[in-house]
């Protein structure tokens, strides 16, 4: 028996709508679809899993260099500034776990809490549910629609819980409370719109590990988060290796260039333009004498230089 597309459409729509979701998460196949350019390992829920080694390398690159790489690839909406921090000198780098909050309405919040608590074993208010999913190296990123008063997604207790699970910080397009106590969590940092003494109210979790908006940026689960004093950069998972590798090279290039210009061997114009084979050879020789700057092959150098627009 054949069925027309018009006949089958309501069935598929109904199937998609009524498949039960776990604590507001989107279906795994939808997350894989949205991040289909990522070809590496994934978490069980489909979130891209950037390696721990790459996350560690990302901690040592400059946000300006990383932004430039993304811009050159056409990703121009990846940076958001205007944050308040717990600590000015503690950067936050890791894999994004996303949460979307909306202004509460009684009927929706009742249904969400009833399903989460009675059918899925969730506990407490919905702002604690994302914390249950966190693993080491994650960065909890939440869209709280910029709410300050009554928009405090975290206080000292939840801050300690987050840090114990991730060893990392948070990025909230909202607020936090208990600043004095949060400052006592060594190694922890939060990028928030402001701090406020109020408790969370009139907010409900509507998405977990779903696409969210942070200011002018679309953030997807698994994005590489690079948060430094200047602001927060969200790097799509499939570009993380390229961004980190190129930013690492720029740092090496600058160190090499400073030394060459000071010695008078090359001019700034020569260093800051496409390199000749002679300069490439000099750079690789210099790199061999400075193992602390990392390693690089001639093939890798040629590849980076071929796309140079910085």
């Amino acid at each position: 028996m054949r069925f027309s597309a018009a006949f089958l459409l309501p069935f598929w729509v109904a199937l998609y709508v009524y498949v039960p979701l776990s604590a507001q998460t989107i279906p795994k196949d939808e997350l894989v679809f949205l991040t289909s350019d990522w070809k590496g390992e994934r978490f069980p829920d489909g979130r891209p899993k950037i390696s721990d080694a790459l996350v560690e390398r990302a901690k040592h690159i400059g946000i300006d260099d990383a932004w430039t790489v993304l811009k050159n690839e056409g990703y121009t909406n990846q940076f958001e500034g205007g944050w308040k921090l717990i600590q000015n000198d503690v950067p936050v780098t890791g894999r994004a776990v996303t949460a979307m909050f909306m202004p509460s309405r009684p009927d929706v919040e009742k249904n969400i809490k009833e399903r989460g608590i009675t059918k899925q074993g969730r506990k407490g208010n919905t702002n604690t549910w994302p914390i249950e999913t966190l693993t080491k190296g994650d960065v909890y990123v939440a869209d709280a629609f910029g709410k300050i008063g009554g928009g405090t997604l975290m206080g000292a207790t939840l801050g300690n819980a987050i840090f114990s699970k991730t060893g990392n910080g948070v990025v909230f397009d909202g607020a936090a409370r208990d600043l004095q106590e949060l400052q006592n969590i060594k190694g922890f940092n939060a990028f928030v719109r402001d701090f406020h003494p109020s408790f969370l109210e009139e907010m409900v979790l509507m998405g977990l590990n779903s696409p969210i908006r942070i200011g002018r940026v679309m953030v997807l689960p698994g994005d590489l988060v690079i948060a430094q004093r200047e602001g927060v950069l969200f790097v799509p998972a499939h570009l993380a290796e390229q961004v980190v590798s190129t930013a690492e090279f720029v740092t090496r290039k600058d160190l090499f260039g400073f030394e060459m210009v000071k010695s008078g061997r090359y001019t700034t114009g020569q260093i800051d333009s496409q390199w000749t084979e002679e300069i490439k050879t000099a750079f690789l020789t210099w790199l061999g004498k400075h193992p602390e700057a990392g390693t690089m092959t001639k093939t890798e150098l040629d590849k980076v230089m071929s796309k140079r627009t910085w």
Side-chain angles (χ1 to χ4, degrees):
M1 181 183 295
R2 293 186 177 181
F3 297 94
S4 68
F7 178 85
L8 289 172
L9 181 59
F11 169 78
W12 290 114
V13 170
L15 180 62
Y16 183 83
V17 170
Y18 294 114
V19 169
L21 305 182
S22 176
Q24 311 311 105
T25 57
I26 63 174
K28 178 179 178 179
D29 59 349
E30 180 69 4
L31 180 51
V32 171
F33 168 75
L34 292 173
T35 58
S36 58
D37 283 348
W38 169 256
K39 306 304 181 184
E41 185 180 357
R42 293 179 181 269
F43 287 95
D45 64 357
R47 184 166 60 109
K49 188 177 183 181
I50 296 171
S51 71
D52 292 338
L54 187 59
V55 171
E56 184 60 33
R57 288 167 56 194
K59 294 178 181 179
H60 306 286
I61 65 174
I63 202 169
D64 298 340
D65 297 331
W67 176 87
T68 302
V69 180
L70 287 176
K71 184 177 183 296
N72 291 341
E73 293 295 324
Y75 288 76
T76 57
N77 302 308
Q78 303 306 127
F79 177 83
E80 180 67 12
W83 303 98
K84 288 192 176 181
L85 286 64
I86 295 176
Q87 310 282 356
N88 284 330
D89 58 349
V90 178
V92 173
T93 307
R95 298 174 288 259
V97 166
T98 62
M100 177 179 63
F101 291 85
M102 286 189 178
S104 180
R105 61 180 257 177
D107 55 337
V108 174
E109 183 164 355
K110 175 180 69 70
N111 289 339
I112 287 173
K113 285 185 174 179
E114 183 178 278
R115 181 178 67 183
I117 294 172
T118 64
K119 297 180 179 179
Q120 299 173 349
R122 299 290 173 182
K123 298 177 181 178
N125 200 359
T126 60
N127 68 309
T128 68
W129 296 1
I131 299 174
E132 299 170 8
T133 72
L134 296 172
T135 63
K136 285 296 181 186
D138 286 340
V139 178
Y140 178 12
V141 183
D143 173 10
F145 54 95
K147 186 177 181 181
I148 307 300
T152 50
L153 290 178
M154 170 190 70
T157 300
L158 294 187
N160 275 283
I162 291 167
F163 189 66
S164 68
K165 280 179 165 286
T166 67
N168 226 332
V170 303
V171 178
F172 290 164
D173 192 359
R177 66 188 309 274
D178 298 336
L179 175 58
Q180 294 301 320
E181 289 84 355
L182 290 172
Q183 287 177 326
N184 294 329
I185 307 175
K186 188 175 181 181
F188 181 71
N189 206 355
F191 288 70
V192 298
R193 293 308 185 187
D194 212 338
F195 297 93
H196 199 276
S198 61
F199 292 95
L200 184 74
E201 59 183 357
E202 299 297 326
M203 295 176 67
V204 62
L205 178 69
M206 291 299 294
L208 176 56
N209 272 333
S210 60
I212 62 172
R213 189 186 81 169
I214 298 294
R216 293 173 294 275
V217 184
M218 179 195 296
V219 184
L220 291 182
D223 281 356
L224 174 63
V225 181
I226 302 175
Q228 299 175 3
R229 252 182 105 177
E230 298 98 316
V232 184
L233 189 70
F234 299 96
V235 180
H238 69 282
L239 289 175
E241 174 67 43
Q242 178 182 342
V243 167
V244 172
S245 296
T246 305
E248 288 173 335
F249 169 71
V250 173
T251 299
R252 298 166 187 156
K253 183 270 297 182
D254 287 344
L255 292 172
F256 167 73
F258 297 154
E259 191 172 313
M260 294 300 105
V261 170
K262 279 172 123 182
S263 68
R265 182 171 179 180
Y266 298 114
T267 67
T268 55
Q270 289 174 301
I271 294 297
D272 290 333
S273 60
Q274 275 291 352
W275 286 355
T276 63
E277 289 300 314
E278 177 191 330
I279 297 178
K280 289 180 182 179
T281 300
F283 170 74
L284 292 173
T285 301
W286 175 89
L287 204 57
K289 297 176 180 178
H290 294 80
E292 73 282 358
T295 61
M296 199 170 199
T297 66
K298 177 64 163 56
T299 300
E300 290 170 336
L301 176 58
D302 286 339
K303 183 178 180 179
V304 171
M305 294 298 292
S306 69
K307 302 181 71 173
R308 180 172 181 176
T309 56
W310 23 265

